[in-house]
Amino acid sequence: MVDVSPPVAKKVPRNLEIHGDVRVDNYYWMNEREDPEVIAFLEKENEYYQAKTAHTQPLQDSLFLEMRSRIKEDDSSVPYKRNGYWYSTRFETGKEYPIYSRKKGELEADEEVMFDGNELAEGHEFFRLTGISVSPDNTMAAFGRDTVSRRQYYIKIKNLVTGEIYPDKIENTTGGSVWAKDNKTLFYTKKDPVTLRSDKIYKHVLGTSSEKDELVYHETDETYNTYVYKSKSQDYIIIGSNSTLTSEYRILAADDPNGTFKVFSPRTRGLEYAIYHFGSDFYILTNKDGATNFKLMKTSEKTTSSENWQEYLPHREDVLLEDIEIFKDYLVVSERDNGLNKIKVSRWDGSDSYYLPFDNETYVAYPYVNLDYDTKYLRYIYNSMTSPYAIIDFDMETREEVILKQQEVLGGKFKAENYRSQRIWATARDGVRVPISLVYHKDTPLDGTSPLLQYAYGSYGATIDPSFSSTRLSLLDRGFIYAISHVRGGEYLGRPWYEDGKLLRKKNTFTDFVDCSKFLIEEKFTSPEHLYALGGSAGGLLMGAVVNMAPELYHGVIAAVPFVDVVTTMLDDSIPLTTGEYDEWGNPNEKKYYDYMLSYSPYDNVQKQAYPNLYVTTGLHDSQVQYWEPAKWVAKLREYKTDQNNLFLDTNMEAGHGGASGRFEALKETAKEFAFLLDLEGKDQ
C-alpha cells in the first residue's frame, strides 16, 4: 500500500442563516465549478484515490475484461414495426455505441442505417444520442445529442432518404421531439438554462431558424416540469405537466399543428392522472377520489375534464395499478401485488380475462414495445435474479408464447442452476415488514461468514425490481450475496409504501435499511465484518444517512453521485431539480421541513466517530447532484472521522450523473466499485 497522505481541504467559514438558525459551512467555496482551486482539489483527491488503489489495478482490469466478456458484442435488439418499417438497434464488435437502423416492409428487406453512434461520437469524451423521432411520412428523423453530460441536448434533423443533415439546430432541449402529421412541424421541450428545469414547449417548422420558433406553452410553476409526446394512436400531440403530486395535460389534434392546445383537465393539487387515447375515448389512470393505488376511468375525447370521468376499473387497497396497454381487442393491465409484477389480459367484450402465469418471488415482468393497436400479440420482458431477460411475444388469443430473444451471457461459465434467489422479510423497528430480494451462488455458505452487498434506492416512488445482472456475477462467483432492500420511499408494496418514506416520514427509508442490515446479520447471511452497502443519487443520500446512524454495521460503503447536502441544496432554487423536489423532501423555507431535513442531512450530521471504508463517486458536469455535494461531504468526513479506514473521492472530470458514456466504458466504473469491495475482502483476483 502506497504511503500517501489524504488531501486536506482549506476551510473558509460561510454562515448560512434561516429560521434563526445558523449553520457554518467550511467548504461552501467548493461550489465554484470554474475555480482553479476547486479543480485542483478534485484532482488531488483523484490522485490520492489512484495512489491508494494502484495495487487493485490488475483486479480492476480483470474485472472489466470479465464483465465485458459476458456481453455479446455483436448484439441486436428485437425489431419492432412502426408505420411500415421494422426498427432495430445493434452493436458491432469492439464498438462502444449503437447503430440505429430500419427495414422497409419485411425483415428480409435491405437495412437502412439511420444513425451510427460510433461515427457521431468521434472526437468527444462523452456522447449520448437520444430521442430519435421519425416523421409520419418516414422521410426524416429528428434526434438529440449531448456531448457534455449535462443532459442539455441539441436537436438536429436528418433526411433519411438523402442522408442530409439539415441546418436546423435547436439548443438546450431534453432531446426528444414529436412530429405533427404535416411532416414539417416539430414540437419539443426546452430547459431553463440555469436550473435545467424543463419549462417550455416550442413549435419548430422545418427549414426555419430556431430563433423564430413559437412558444406554445410555458410552465411557470417552478415545482413542475413539462414535456411533449404523441398518443399511441398518433392522433394527438400531448403536453404533460407534472410535479411530484399533481398532473395536468394539454391536447392538440396531430393534424392541426397550428391549432390551440386544450387543457384535458385542470390541475388539482394531489390529483395525479395519465391519459391513453383509443377510438373516440380517453382512458385515465388516476388516484382521483382517494384511489391511493390508482384506478382506471374513461371519458369521451369531447368531454375530458375530470367531472366527466367514469370508473372503468375500481381502486383496490392492496394492488397497485401501474400502467395499461391498449389493443384493438384487448386491454392489458400492469399491476403490483405484494411487491410482485402481474400482467392481466382482458377482452374488451368481457368474454375473457386472465393473468399471465409467473411462479417465483424474485422476477420482473412488464410490457415491452407495443406500438401496434391491431394485433393479438403482447410483447413483454421477463427475467429474474437468476435468469437473463427474455423478450416474449404472447398470443393473447391462444395464450401461446414465443421467446424472440434470450439475453446471452457469454464466457461459457454461466449456468442459471448454479444460483439461488429468495425473498425474505425483515421487521423494522416500528413493526412494519420490509421485503429483501437475495441472490447468491449455490455454493456460498449462509453461516454469517459470506460477504454481502446490500443495495437500495428508496425515493420518488421508484421501485428497484429484482432483475438479472450479468456484471453482478463477478461478485456472486466470488462468494458475495447480493441483497436488494425494498425500503419505504419506493413503491414496491404500493403507493402507501412510497407515502410512508417521504417528506416528514423520510427517515423510515434510512431506518428500514439499517433494520434490514441488522436482520441480515441476525439471520447469518453475513456479519458486520463482511457487510457492504451501495446506493446512488438519492440512494447515495441513503448511504450518507446510514453511515451517520449505524456506521458499525458496515465494513464498506459505496456512495455513487450522492445527494448528501440536502438542506443547502433544497434552499438553493437556482440548482437543477430543487423546486420540483419540494413535494418529495419538503420545502426548507418552511421551518418544520427545515428542522426535519437538518436532522438527517448527511453533510450536516457528520460527527466525530469511526466510519466504514467509503468510496464516493461524482461527475464534474453532473446536472442532477452537483459535484460539490460529495466533494464537501468527503472533506468534512476527513476532518471528523476518528478511524483509519479508506475514504476515497473519485471524480469523473468529463462526465455527469450517469457516469461514462459508451457501452463498455461504464463497465470500468463498475470494475472500480467491485475492486473496492473485493480488496476489502482480501481478494485480489
Side-chain angles (χ1 to χ4, degrees), residues 46 99 116 210 235 266 290 334 350 355 427 456 573 623 675:
N46 278 354
I99 295 167
D116 185 336
S210 61
D235 289 336
S334 297
Y355 285 94
T427 301
D573 60 13
S623 63

Side-chain angles (χ1 to χ4, degrees), residues 505-528:
R505 295 199 286 267
K506 186 67 221 169
K507 287 184 186 176
N508 284 338
T509 303
F510 316 140
T511 54
D512 279 359
F513 191 90
V514 169
D515 293 340
C516 285
S517 299
K518 291 177 178 177
F519 178 78
L520 290 165
I521 293 167
E522 289 165 4
E523 294 298 309
K524 300 291 188 187
F525 285 100
T526 191
S527 64

Side-chain angles (χ1 to χ4, degrees), residues 4-10 27 29-30 37-53 614-618 627 630-639 641 646-653 672:
V4 292
S5 299
V8 176
K10 71 174 183 178
Y27 304 108
W29 61 273
M30 290 187 185
E37 274 196 272
V38 172
I39 299 298
F41 171 74
L42 296 175
E43 289 175 341
K44 282 179 186 174
E45 282 285 1
N46 278 354
E47 290 165 7
Y48 173 72
Y49 161 67
Q50 289 156 9
K52 294 286 280 184
T53 59
L614 286 163
Y615 175 51
V616 183
T617 67
T618 188
Y627 72 88
K632 288 167 54 177
W633 183 48
V634 167
K636 192 170 182 180
L637 282 166
R638 290 210 189 285
E639 178 187 354
K641 75 190 193 83
N646 290 322
L647 173 57
F648 301 136
L649 174 65
D650 183 13
T651 304
N652 187 325
M653 304 300 280
K672 287 181 179 182

Side-chain angles (χ1 to χ4, degrees), residues 441-455:
H441 193 280
K442 65 181 176 62
D443 296 333
T444 298
L446 305 180
D447 59 3
T449 63
S450 296
L452 186 149
L453 179 59
Q454 182 185 350
Y455 173 78

Side-chain angles (χ1 to χ4, degrees), residues 43 48 179 195 314 318 435 438 446 487 509 513 591-592 606 640 681:
E43 289 175 341
Y48 173 72
W179 293 90
T195 67
D318 55 349
L438 294 169
L446 305 180
V487 295
T509 303
F513 191 90
K591 189 174 187 306
K592 68 175 179 178
V606 171
Y640 278 78
E681 280 294 305

Side-chain angles (χ1 to χ4, degrees), residues 229-409:
Y229 68 101
K230 215 170 191 178
S231 62
K232 180 176 175 177
S233 66
Q234 303 295 299
D235 289 336
Y236 284 96
I237 292 166
I238 303 171
I239 294 174
S241 287
N242 288 89
S243 71
T244 306
L245 296 174
T246 310
S247 317
E248 184 179 63
Y249 294 90
R250 287 166 169 77
I251 59 175
L252 175 69
D255 60 2
D256 183 24
N258 295 318
T260 302
F261 280 87
K262 164 195 160 189
V263 175
F264 188 89
S265 188
R267 65 187 65 175
T268 302
R269 181 166 175 77
L271 176 64
E272 298 175 64
Y273 68 95
I275 59 177
Y276 308 79
H277 180 243
F278 180 51
S280 59
D281 296 308
F282 278 96
Y283 288 81
I284 307 107
L285 187 64
T286 180
N287 66 347
K288 190 174 184 290
D289 305 320
T292 308
N293 271 330
F294 290 78
K295 62 182 176 180
L296 190 63
M297 305 187 80
K298 178 182 178 181
T299 194
S300 163
E301 61 186 355
K302 299 185 187 310
T303 53
T304 60
S305 57
S306 61
E307 65 269 17
N308 299 299
W309 300 353
Q310 300 295 315
E311 188 171 283
Y312 190 82
L313 293 177
H315 173 252
R316 286 169 290 172
E317 294 289 342
D318 55 349
V319 178
L320 175 66
L321 186 54
E322 290 192 311
D323 201 2
I324 65 168
E325 283 281 358
I326 291 176
F327 298 91
K328 178 184 174 184
D329 296 320
Y330 298 92
L331 172 66
V332 176
V333 177
S334 297
E335 304 173 352
R336 190 176 293 272
D337 184 359
N338 197 32
L340 304 180
N341 296 132
K342 292 195 172 181
I343 299 176
K344 185 177 184 181
V345 177
S346 303
R347 290 192 70 99
W348 289 111
D349 63 12
S351 63
D352 200 11
S353 181
Y354 57 90
Y355 285 94
L356 272 63
F358 304 124
D359 58 1
N360 69 59
E361 289 193 336
T362 55
Y363 73 88
V364 186
Y366 53 90
Y368 190 44
V369 180
N370 292 281
L371 300 178
D372 190 0
Y373 272 121
D374 192 6
T375 179
K376 63 176 183 173
Y377 292 102
L378 166 70
R379 183 166 293 181
Y380 75 96
I381 283 185
Y382 177 89
N383 73 111
S384 73
M385 295 187 87
T386 58
S387 60
Y389 76 83
I391 299 175
I392 299 166
D393 262 2
F394 177 80
D395 188 322
M396 293 181 280
E397 187 176 299
T398 67
R399 306 194 192 185
E400 296 172 338
E401 60 184 36
V402 176
I403 296 176
L404 301 175
K405 178 178 181 176
Q406 179 89 50
Q407 178 189 358
E408 294 182 61
V409 181

Side-chain angles (χ1 to χ4, degrees), residues 174-189:
T174 59
S177 58
V178 292
W179 293 90
K181 288 186 177 180
D182 64 358
N183 299 296
K184 67 178 183 179
T185 306
L186 200 65
F187 293 86
Y188 64 90
T189 311

Side-chain angles (χ1 to χ4, degrees), residues 576-634:
L577 301 185
T578 292
T579 54
E581 305 280 284
Y582 289 156
D583 287 333
E584 179 72 24
W585 313 103
N587 182 348
N589 291 295
E590 298 179 37
K591 189 174 187 306
K592 68 175 179 178
Y593 290 114
Y594 173 84
D595 290 343
Y596 188 76
M597 227 177 260
L598 188 60
S599 73
Y600 69 74
S601 173
Y603 181 66
D604 293 289
N605 286 280
V606 171
Q607 54 196 291
K608 289 194 180 298
Q609 64 179 4
Y611 281 89
N613 294 283
L614 286 163
Y615 175 51
V616 183
T617 67
T618 188
L620 182 63
H621 300 288
D622 197 326
S623 63
Q624 310 297 104
V625 176
Q626 306 298 317
Y627 72 88
W628 60 76
E629 292 198 39
K632 288 167 54 177
W633 183 48
V634 167

